[in-house]
Amino acid sequence: WAYRTEDFGRTWQRIAGPGQGIRGYAHVIKEDPVNANVLYLGTEFGLWISIDRGATWAEFKGGNFPSVAVRDLAIQARDNDLVIATHGRGIWIVDDLTPLRALSTELLARDVAFLPGRPIQQRIRGNGGWVNGDAVFVGANPPDGAVINYYQRTRHVFGRMKIEILDSAGKVVDTLSASKRKGINRVVWSMQTKAPRVPTAAQAAFSAAFGPRVLPGEYTVRLTKGEQVIEQKLVVGLDRRATFTVDDRKAQFDAAMHAHAVFGRMTDLADRLNGLKALALARTGALPAGDPVKAQAAKFADGIDALRKEIVATKEGGAITGEERLREHLDQAYGALMSYEGRPGDYQVARIEALEAELKAVEDRAAAFIASDLPKLNQALQGKGLEAIAMAGAEADGARLAAAQ
């Protein structure tokens, strides 16, 4: 049982009991310091929450919270978190009570609605750590992204459901999978662009596995649920501890996206070369050994492969083998840019420009080689009744052929 007084104890009203679906005897009850209509009740068998000052109650099951004795509750004002002290299951924390405080009878009647959350800041990233011994417990950090809260009256069953992030110009910058369950839902947006397209090589380009974080500013969250579309503004800010400005972040973002674009050009060229090589060898694969056209195709493929080796390393080991090419050098420069979100050094910007110039030189040599040698090879192929290699579609056709082999 739990009772409420509005007159400092002269009279009491029962607000919680088995008749309202509450299980277990009460250990603790707390009133929310921001919204007095929100109450938190800890019993021997869990946590119950009311948003209407005790008229109705719902059992808290977020984060797979177990059926466990809740002995005490504390509300942290600065972070708006609810700290739950259990008997036997340790300390639990409900991150950010802001969505709960926003619930009302009117909002609960809607089919779907956005809920407010805490201000979104791009926290400064740090690397490091140390090896822990046995039996060391480390709690999970908060999500490294923007938390989007929304409410659904019932589980979504039919029709599409998605969440899109739009920039200030109305351009879609990311699409997220939306949780379809009823009640309060949380989805985390990474606030990152897509990773760059990187040409395949002997080893992974580890730094290029991630895209840069978007710039601070105002974005729009658009939720599509069947035929319904709702939107909410989302403001992304810098970490309050950051020593750099938004202009510094923009300089870093522009430099990283410049490298991102060079990766894309590099990948396009490498894919085109791989496609041409695969097609040349496939066209003459059925010809007998020693056939001059087969030898011509092999020579053409060798020339294409030599150009490809100017772009990517073909031996594992990187600096150990002494084989680092444009892709590996760009991966190092991109990783350095991504390691700090403040203004990049002039030498870093110049390094990306220098690598882009080297790539342009390879693109020019590749274009000259293809222009001079491909027509000759096509003429020889047609002389054998074989299909010529068309530049249009060579990249895709060659990639499919290489994958099949």
Side-chain angles (χ1 to χ4, degrees):
W1 310 105
Y3 294 81
R4 182 184 71 210
T5 179
E6 302 284 359
D7 53 12
F8 301 100
R10 288 190 179 90
T11 59
W12 294 82
Q13 177 188 1
R14 193 173 69 205
I15 59 173
Q20 293 161 291
I22 294 171
R23 296 181 293 110
Y25 50 84
H27 287 297
V28 58
I29 185 166
K30 291 289 178 74
E31 180 185 278
D32 190 275
V34 175
N35 184 349
N37 289 321
V38 179
L39 305 178
Y40 310 98
L41 174 65
T43 78
E44 183 66 11
F45 296 127
L47 174 68
W48 272 260
I49 298 176
S50 172
I51 63 166
D52 50 16
R53 203 152 176 77
T56 57
W57 294 85
E59 185 177 4
F60 177 76
K61 286 293 186 181
N64 296 319
F65 186 70
S67 180
V68 64
V70 173
R71 296 292 180 86
D72 203 0
L73 298 166
I75 299 170
Q76 295 186 330
R78 193 191 72 171
D79 296 322
N80 294 325
D81 293 341
L82 177 65
V83 183
I84 307 169
T86 75
H87 180 71
R89 294 293 186 92
I91 296 291
W92 290 67
I93 299 176
V94 180
D95 289 325
D96 192 12
L97 296 171
T98 309
L100 269 174
R101 291 166 175 165
L103 292 179
S104 64
T105 304
E106 183 273 330
L107 189 144
L108 291 176
R110 298 185 197 174
D111 191 32
V112 62
F114 280 115
L115 296 171
R118 61 168 54 121
I120 297 168
Q121 295 182 339
Q122 292 181 328
R123 290 192 300 275
I124 297 173
R125 288 172 170 169
N127 299 315
W130 53 87
V131 177
N132 292 320
D134 291 341
V136 172
F137 172 78
V138 179
N141 283 324
D144 188 22
V147 178
I148 299 166
N149 305 285
Y150 60 97
Y151 163 80
Q152 286 199 111
R153 184 165 49 87
T154 59
R155 178 177 175 80
H156 181 72
V157 178
F158 299 108
R160 63 178 180 171
M161 187 168 182
K162 63 179 179 178
I163 294 176
E164 296 170 301
I165 310 296
L166 293 76
D167 62 16
S168 58
K171 177 184 175 183
V172 176
V173 296
D174 207 349
T175 301
L176 313 175
S177 297
S179 171
K180 298 181 179 181
R181 66 179 182 83
K182 70 176 183 179
I184 296 177
N185 292 267
R186 280 179 169 172
V187 175
V188 178
W189 172 39
S190 68
M191 298 188 287
Q192 286 184 252
T193 65
K194 300 298 183 185
R197 293 184 303 117
V198 179
T200 55
Q203 63 186 35
F206 295 103
S207 297
F210 305 96
R213 288 204 288 192
V214 299
L215 289 172
E218 187 174 279
Y219 296 82
T220 300
V221 185
R222 176 195 294 161
L223 189 152
T224 302
K225 175 183 167 70
E227 298 301 320
Q228 299 182 69
V229 178
I230 60 173
E231 293 184 346
Q232 175 178 264
K233 294 298 181 184
L234 182 73
V235 178
V236 176
L238 283 178
D239 191 319
R240 60 179 179 271
R241 302 164 299 176
T243 57
F244 46 81
T245 65
V246 174
D247 287 341
D248 294 334
R249 271 284 284 116
K250 186 176 187 309
Q252 182 269 344
F253 180 81
D254 291 344
M257 290 304 294
H258 184 187
H260 193 291
V262 176
F263 267 127
R265 282 176 51 190
M266 192 180 293
T267 303
D268 290 340
L269 178 58
D271 287 349
R272 193 175 303 116
L273 294 175
N274 285 333
L276 287 170
K277 177 185 175 182
L279 288 171
L281 296 178
R283 291 284 195 274
T284 58
L287 296 178
D291 187 288
V293 176
K294 190 180 186 76
Q296 184 178 355
K299 183 179 179 182
F300 176 81
D302 289 342
I304 289 291
D305 204 43
L307 288 164
R308 183 181 72 91
K309 289 180 179 179
E310 293 187 47
I311 303 171
V312 299
T314 55
K315 295 178 182 177
E316 293 185 7
I320 297 175
T321 63
E323 186 181 357
E324 289 184 330
R325 299 293 182 258
L326 283 175
R327 193 202 76 149
E328 288 68 41
H329 293 314
L330 184 58
D331 188 52
Q332 293 170 6
Y334 179 77
L337 283 171
M338 293 284 284
S339 67
Y340 175 62
E341 291 187 327
R343 184 174 294 275
D346 293 341
Y347 71 95
Q348 291 177 302
V349 176
R351 178 61 170 155
I352 301 299
E353 292 173 349
L355 291 170
E356 184 180 26
E358 291 185 42
L359 176 62
K360 178 64 167 59
V362 179
E363 289 173 333
D364 291 343
R365 287 195 294 274
F369 176 80
I370 294 167
S372 64
D373 286 44
L374 184 58
K376 300 174 186 176
L377 177 59
N378 278 336
Q379 186 177 7
L381 290 173
Q382 290 171 331
K384 288 284 186 177
L386 299 174
E387 182 183 355
I389 299 172
M391 275 302 299
E395 175 183 327
D397 293 342
R400 283 194 294 268
L401 185 60
Q405 294 173 345

